[in-house]
Amino acid sequence: MAAQFGRRLCKGAATTAVAAVAVAALSASQAPGVNDHGRQAAADATPSPDASASDGSATGNSPYYTDLPPLNSPSPSPSTGTGPTTPGTSEAGIPATVLDAYKKAEAALRDAKPGCNLPWQLLAAIGRVESGQARGGRVNAEGTTISPILGPQLDGNGFALIKDTDNGAYDGNSTYDQAVGPMQFIPSTWAWAGRDANGDGKKDPNNIYDAALAAGHYLCRFDWDLSDQRDLDRAILSYNNSREYLNLVMRWLEYYRKGTHEVPDGTGTLPGNRSDNGAGASPGPTTPSTPGTPAAGGPKPKPKQEKPGGGGTTKPKPPTTPPPTTPPDPPSAPPSSSPTPTDTVHHLEDAGTAKLTAMAGDTFTKRISTRAETKAGKAVGKVRIRFTIVGDTDTTFTGGESVATVATNSSGVAVAPALQAGEKTGDVTVRATVVGRMVAGLDYTATVTERAADALARTGDAALTCAPGGEFANQVEVKATYKGAVADGVAATATLIKSADDPTANDKGPFFKDADGKAVRTLAGLKTDAKGLLKLPKLYADDTTGTFLLRITTEGGATLTVELTVAAAETSSPSPSASPSA
């Protein structure tokens, strides 16, 4: 089956030293491609609260390839022809299907989230670092990897501890989670970030089209503008929370921005070094008939780990060490299997969430806060809380997602992203659950109300007069506001009422016309426009003279009464007749 990445020593000195030396070497010998601002931002970068809170990372901070971009130009020389490739040509080349997936994801995000400014080269940089561009483009015609690409099981031994969240559906592991596919999503993140980009009805992390689009949405989920270096840093750190990772992705990003070219699927260069000091994790070119690849429709074998140098699969073995030169210390007592923070969570408590109410289209001003506690009521930090919007609603979290995962702080509290009210009104349920722990969820209710206005005013002051049986020369236009701000999309009703004390519709006097030209004196279903303006249809008068009232009301209680006058035109007295001439 697929090669699995070796374990990454997240905070190990060896890993940090290797990455630091690699970055230093690149900075010294390959200065073009990353400006001083980019290096400074990378060196000083720390995840924003949103970045560090959302799932920790897309990959569970799994191992990644540390190979640096080559020194020469990323574009092949025109004189290369069909002969042997020059150094760097194959490194710059991106397999055709993989490149197509990146560019299609960029186009989709340009429409869905134009303010994000996602460049396809960023997806290419992450894809290179995460999986060597799907192991050199070893994908089928639909973009699905010929064999799954799996990271190590996240059992807390040198990196994150993430117990199984998908019952092995994506990674084949029902005990711990593993990063999956060419963009290396962990199952709990894929559960909400996954996309069906190729329209086959499935969200498959092993498909480069689905995975690239999911990665794009993941990087754009907090309304970050990736043309801003600070937001770009935050987005990359949210994918894998490591400064060395950030520096490396930035260097590949700048390299691909200088140019790249397409190479046939399956011919891309395989990286040789990983962040866990492994010397490559992928075998040579494979074909769909590679031994160990399951036949279509057949049972999936349990993932095996391939030897770092390729050439067959074996069960994972612990790292070996050279024989000691001095007598070993007496064996220590076996370590106790102390529970993880997640294991200690007994229940969730509301952490002081205020009443959640917002008008349609507005952002909720209050946010949901949940506290993880032990059975004794002690706060539990560093556990992940998943917030899920359930039911039939178009309300989302800021960024358009319906699921967000946030780590609890030292006080055991996780604060969900702000909610963005949709146009569907009514109650919305947001459920908080503990990732990796079967405890009762906690439901919150957020209420979306109709758009409202608290004030109405005419936009003009021209008199509204008409002769009996005539047509009013001026149309009534009003502007709606709410707390001084424009109130757009607010429902309104206009009625020609009998009197100030009797708001029922009049049966005489001015009137509107319906589509058939018949007189109507109540108009319902009106709405203010984007500027809060509402212009009523033309008014007409019957033969009744006098002063009449038009009342306009809106959702939220705003009311405006306008006077209309129907009066016969004044006739001037005839001038004296001239005396007849003699």
Side-chain angles (χ1 to χ4, degrees), residues 307-489:
K307 296 178 182 178
T313 57
T314 62
K315 292 184 178 180
K317 295 181 180 180
T320 59
T321 56
T325 56
T326 57
D329 293 330
S332 57
S336 60
S337 56
S338 56
T340 66
T342 301
D343 294 333
T344 67
V345 177
H346 177 265
H347 60 272
L348 296 176
E349 289 285 347
D350 176 41
T353 303
K355 185 177 181 180
L356 299 166
T357 304
M359 285 194 300
D362 287 354
T363 300
F364 283 75
T365 57
K366 307 297 183 182
R367 296 167 71 176
I368 295 172
S369 296
T370 299
R371 184 171 56 252
E373 295 184 354
T374 64
K375 187 174 183 179
K378 184 179 178 181
V380 184
K382 297 183 180 180
V383 298
R384 296 182 302 145
I385 306 299
R386 180 178 293 125
F387 297 95
T388 306
I389 300 172
V390 299
D392 182 18
T393 179
D394 55 355
T395 292
T396 64
F397 291 112
T398 302
E401 307 294 351
S402 60
V403 179
T405 306
V406 181
T408 58
N409 60 20
S410 58
S411 299
V413 175
V415 180
L419 286 165
Q420 176 68 42
E423 294 302 321
K424 292 182 180 180
T425 59
D427 289 342
V428 177
T429 299
V430 181
R431 181 165 299 149
T433 55
V434 181
V435 176
R437 178 76 169 164
M438 295 296 292
V439 298
L442 189 61
D443 284 355
Y444 295 83
T445 299
T447 303
V448 180
T449 63
E450 296 280 356
R451 293 172 181 258
D454 57 12
L456 284 171
R458 281 189 67 193
T459 59
D461 56 4
L464 298 168
T465 60
C466 181
E471 176 182 311
F472 283 81
N474 299 305
Q475 289 178 251
V476 177
E477 184 182 68
V478 297
K479 182 173 183 178
T481 56
Y482 183 79
K483 296 182 179 180
V486 168
D488 61 313

Side-chain angles (χ1 to χ4, degrees), residues 32-50:
V34 181
N35 58 29
D36 288 340
H37 172 69
R39 282 196 295 270
Q40 182 67 28
D44 297 341
T46 55
S48 68
D50 284 336

Side-chain angles (χ1 to χ4, degrees), residues 42 45 47 51 56-59 61 122 125-126 130 218-219 221 224 226 229-251 253:
S57 75
T59 69
N61 293 332
L122 175 59
I126 291 175
E130 290 296 344
Y218 183 90
L219 294 164
R221 69 199 185 285
W224 283 325
L226 303 187
Q229 186 66 48
R230 292 168 298 180
D231 280 355
L232 178 59
D233 290 349
R234 294 184 183 104
I236 296 171
L237 283 167
S238 79
Y239 210 89
N240 191 312
N241 195 0
S242 159
R243 292 188 181 184
E244 291 79 14
Y245 182 88
L246 168 61
N247 291 340
L248 185 61
V249 169
M250 278 302 304
R251 278 146 179 82
L253 169 60

Side-chain angles (χ1 to χ4, degrees), residues 110-250:
R110 191 184 305 124
D111 293 336
K113 296 182 179 180
C116 181
N117 295 307
L118 172 81
W120 67 260
Q121 292 91 340
L122 175 59
L123 297 176
I126 291 175
R128 171 73 189 195
V129 170
E130 290 296 344
S131 70
Q133 309 297 20
R135 297 207 314 272
R138 287 165 178 78
V139 296
N140 63 21
E142 289 72 40
T144 302
T145 56
I146 291 173
S147 54
I149 302 173
L150 296 173
Q153 66 176 17
L154 300 173
D155 56 8
N157 185 10
F159 34 75
L161 172 62
I162 304 178
K163 292 189 175 181
D164 175 62
T165 61
D166 65 330
N167 197 29
Y170 296 120
D171 54 15
N173 189 334
S174 59
T175 304
Y176 298 99
D177 273 350
Q178 295 174 244
V180 181
M183 303 304 280
Q184 288 289 278
F185 277 97
I186 54 175
S188 58
T189 302
W190 184 260
W192 61 266
R195 294 294 191 278
D196 175 19
N198 59 0
D200 64 356
K202 297 185 296 182
K203 299 176 182 179
D204 184 2
N206 297 297
N207 182 277
I208 186 58
Y209 288 99
D210 292 0
L213 183 60
H217 275 279
Y218 183 90
L219 294 164
C220 292
R221 69 199 185 285
F222 288 120
D223 288 335
W224 283 325
D225 178 1
L226 303 187
S227 65
D228 183 305
Q229 186 66 48
R230 292 168 298 180
D231 280 355
L232 178 59
D233 290 349
R234 294 184 183 104
I236 296 171
L237 283 167
S238 79
Y239 210 89
N240 191 312
N241 195 0
S242 159
R243 292 188 181 184
E244 291 79 14
Y245 182 88
L246 168 61
N247 291 340
L248 185 61
V249 169
M250 278 302 304

